[in-house]
Amino acid sequence: MELEEQHRGRGERWRMRHLKELCVFVFLCLHLTKAQIRYSIQEELKTGSLVGNIARDLGLDLKRLRSGRARIVTGENIQYTELHADKGTLIVNERIDREQLCGDVTPCSFTFEILLENPMELHPVTIEVLDVNDNAPTFQNNHLEFEISESAALGSRFVLESADDADVGQNDLQNYVLTSNENFVLKQHVNPDGSKYAEMVLQKSLDREKQPRLSLKLLAVDGGN
Ligand SMILES: [Ca+2]
Ligand SMILES: [Ca+2]
Ligand SMILES: [Ca+2]
């Protein structure tokens, strides 16, 4: 019975010690992490472009940024932004290519922290990178050839090659346009993954004697500017 009491006492002390450690840990986290800042910028901005005024948005004066040796802490290899502690601003340090950073993922963002010392403060910063229409849709092959019999049934379909556009949303491929002609109409489809492809549908029989070769142009069009 006495032994059981001793065990219980030890267990209680162990729990209390760990509870204290947990309290200290929670306290440190609360102390270190303050305001969360979020900025949105376009991709491909020139180096030196303004991202945001960190001093103003964190409510810190420039003296505090200097005395706290404010700096960026990041786990990334590329430091896309730089802190100008003397002006309190965050500027673009490296080319930010949304396509390279996020591919098809939207929204696209990266994060880092602003660290200040004496007393220590850690402010998480998230930068959302907005897409610009800097890629045109392209086909892998510039030339497609079909051999079609004059006797091909009306309604016969000929799948055309899809075009790729590395941008997202409105800046991605929107639709295809086929040279106006009397033999074929264009039918457009969307794959389950959202990619678009088109096919030509025969609507008027071909006449080899009248026209042995028909040359058409397929255009892939993206949105945006
Ligand atoms: Ca880009
Ligand atoms: Ca883009
Ligand atoms: Ca595009």
Side-chain angles (χ1 to χ4, degrees), residues 8 15 36 50 77 82 103 126 143 185 189-191 203:
R8 204 176 298 148
R15 266 199 300 278
Q36 170 122 21
L50 181 71
N77 292 331
E82 191 186 351
T126 299
H143 193 76
V185 285
H189 305 275
V190 182
N191 288 312
Q203 63 165 5

Side-chain angles (χ1 to χ4, degrees), residues 43-44 97 99 134:
E43 63 167 324
E44 312 281 357
D97 179 15
E99 285 71 56
D134 57 345

Side-chain angles (χ1 to χ4, degrees), residues 43-44 97-99 130-135 166-168 171:
E43 63 167 324
E44 312 281 357
D97 179 15
R98 196 214 59 81
E99 285 71 56
L130 306 172
D131 187 37
V132 297
N133 193 15
D134 57 345
N135 292 278
D167 301 316
V168 289
N171 299 329

Side-chain angles (χ1 to χ4, degrees), residues 42-221:
Q42 283 193 336
E43 63 167 324
E44 312 281 357
L45 287 179
K46 276 194 205 132
T47 305
S49 300
L50 181 71
V51 175
N53 190 322
I54 276 282
R56 184 195 61 206
D57 298 333
L58 286 177
L60 298 169
D61 62 23
L62 298 179
K63 238 164 62 192
R64 170 68 184 122
L65 285 186
R66 273 195 297 273
S67 69
R69 297 177 56 227
R71 59 191 180 273
I72 289 175
V73 184
T74 172
E76 303 295 323
N77 292 331
I78 307 172
Q79 192 169 314
Y80 290 116
T81 56
E82 191 186 351
L83 180 66
H84 272 195
D86 55 336
K87 290 183 185 150
T89 54
L90 205 58
I91 58 159
V92 173
N93 185 45
E94 284 272 348
R95 176 191 173 213
I96 306 172
D97 179 15
R98 196 214 59 81
E99 285 71 56
Q100 192 192 11
L101 190 66
C102 295
D104 288 338
V105 178
T106 55
C108 177
S109 65
F110 62 93
T111 56
F112 53 85
E113 273 145 348
I114 302 274
L115 176 73
L116 284 98
E117 298 169 3
N118 305 317
M120 195 168 271
E121 289 178 41
L122 207 52
H123 300 281
V125 179
T126 299
I127 310 282
E128 187 183 349
V129 182
L130 306 172
D131 187 37
V132 297
N133 193 15
D134 57 345
N135 292 278
T138 51
F139 293 100
Q140 221 160 22
N141 296 303
N142 287 330
H143 193 76
L144 270 186
E145 216 163 292
F146 292 98
E147 273 187 18
I148 305 170
S149 163
E150 280 184 305
S151 58
L154 294 183
S156 298
R157 293 160 182 260
F158 304 89
V159 176
L160 302 171
E161 189 185 311
S162 306
D164 283 319
D165 189 319
D167 301 316
V168 289
Q170 268 298 109
N171 299 329
D172 196 359
L173 171 77
Q174 297 300 307
N175 64 313
Y176 296 95
V177 179
L178 185 70
T179 316
S180 162
N181 71 100
E182 55 180 15
N183 298 102
F184 296 96
V185 285
L186 197 67
K187 202 162 164 49
Q188 306 197 40
H189 305 275
V190 182
N191 288 312
D193 68 356
S195 60
K196 298 181 175 82
Y197 74 96
E199 53 186 12
M200 296 190 309
V201 183
L202 189 65
Q203 63 165 5
K204 183 178 179 243
S205 294
L206 297 161
D207 184 344
R208 198 191 67 83
E209 284 69 37
K210 219 170 111 188
Q211 203 171 21
R213 205 177 171 84
L214 185 61
S215 187
L216 300 172
K217 198 178 263 181
L218 179 69
L219 275 178
V221 185

